[in-house]
Amino acid sequence: MELARLCATEKIPVIPIPGPSAAIAALSASGLPTEEFTFVGFLPRHGRSRKARLEVSAREAVTQIFYVPPHGIHQFLLDAASSFGDSRSCVIAREITKLHEEFWRGTLGEANEAFATRQPKGEITILIDGNSISIDETPSDDFLEHELRELMAKGHALSTAVKLVAEATSAKKKDVYALALRVFGK
């Protein structure tokens, strides 16, 4: 991972060898952390389910790997930037181990700009760097309240927001729910 990251930083091509899957080949050449990762695959088609899954992934401390159909890349990048933030590092890998292999590296905000007028073809694997806030740390009530407010502002019900925050942190669901009741009084 460190060698791939250094090469990517210095604009030295990193070419993966064919492996068991596009996800693993892309991860090996991405320069993103490889110790742990979550393979999400294709997101649900329904907008609300898709956004809920992205919210869970955005809170994970490990690299997230998605398969994205070429016709869905623009919507994916918009949704991902909304959930992860524009400044989160990402790698867009296309046609891995094939003739037209391409690796694009930058932030989600930069990816939105770069792919706004570009319609790539072929298999696309998108890797997004994990959240820098460790899930092993006990989150403060202020942090939990902030996360709950963000989710609810995006249209999630209180119970859904509690569930998503508990899944993404080391906080117990009953503690997050008790905090939500104190803060929101519902």
Side-chain angles (χ1 to χ4, degrees), residues 4 12 17 23 52 57 68-69 72 94 104 106 118 125 128-129 146 168 171 179 184:
I12 298 169
I17 58 171
S57 288
V68 179
R94 188 180 70 80
W104 183 94
R118 190 172 156 202
T125 304
I128 303 177
D129 199 6
H146 171 77
L179 172 68
F184 302 105

Side-chain angles (χ1 to χ4, degrees), residues 1-180:
M1 182 266 304
E2 291 176 18
L3 181 59
R5 179 180 289 167
L6 181 61
C7 287
T9 301
E10 297 297 323
K11 306 288 188 236
I12 298 169
V14 180
I15 302 167
I17 58 171
S21 70
I24 299 302
L27 181 64
S28 72
S30 70
L32 296 176
T34 59
E35 298 86 15
E36 290 185 59
F37 61 91
T38 298
F39 173 69
V40 180
F42 289 101
L43 289 174
R45 290 181 187 197
H46 186 262
R48 191 175 197 116
S49 300
R50 182 176 57 249
K51 288 182 181 182
R53 181 60 182 104
L54 284 170
E55 292 295 329
V56 170
S57 288
R59 288 165 174 71
E60 292 286 329
V62 300
T63 301
Q64 302 292 296
I65 305 173
F66 302 89
Y67 286 160
V68 179
H71 65 274
I73 190 168
H74 300 114
Q75 189 61 51
F76 176 88
L77 290 172
L78 288 170
D79 291 344
S82 173
S83 297
F84 288 80
D86 281 335
S87 62
R88 190 80 67 97
S89 295
C90 70
V91 175
I92 300 174
R94 188 180 70 80
E95 292 292 283
I96 302 164
T97 73
K98 296 180 182 170
L99 179 63
H100 300 290
E101 176 179 273
E102 174 186 15
F103 281 86
W104 183 94
R105 293 172 175 86
T107 66
L108 285 168
E110 293 166 344
N112 266 311
E113 288 178 24
F115 287 87
T117 58
R118 190 172 156 202
Q119 183 61 56
K121 295 180 180 177
E123 297 176 357
I124 298 173
T125 304
I126 298 182
L127 303 94
I128 303 177
D129 199 6
N131 192 344
S132 60
I133 298 171
S134 172
I135 59 172
D136 292 334
E137 299 172 10
T138 302
S140 68
D141 282 357
D142 287 343
F143 175 77
L144 294 173
E145 180 181 338
H146 171 77
E147 295 298 299
L148 287 167
R149 284 189 192 284
E150 271 193 12
L151 288 167
M152 291 174 66
K154 292 179 180 178
H156 291 286
L158 180 69
S159 60
T160 304
V162 166
K163 180 182 175 198
L164 291 171
V165 169
E167 287 175 354
T169 66
S170 59
K172 294 179 180 168
K173 186 176 177 182
K174 69 176 188 168
D175 295 338
V176 177
Y177 189 69
L179 172 68

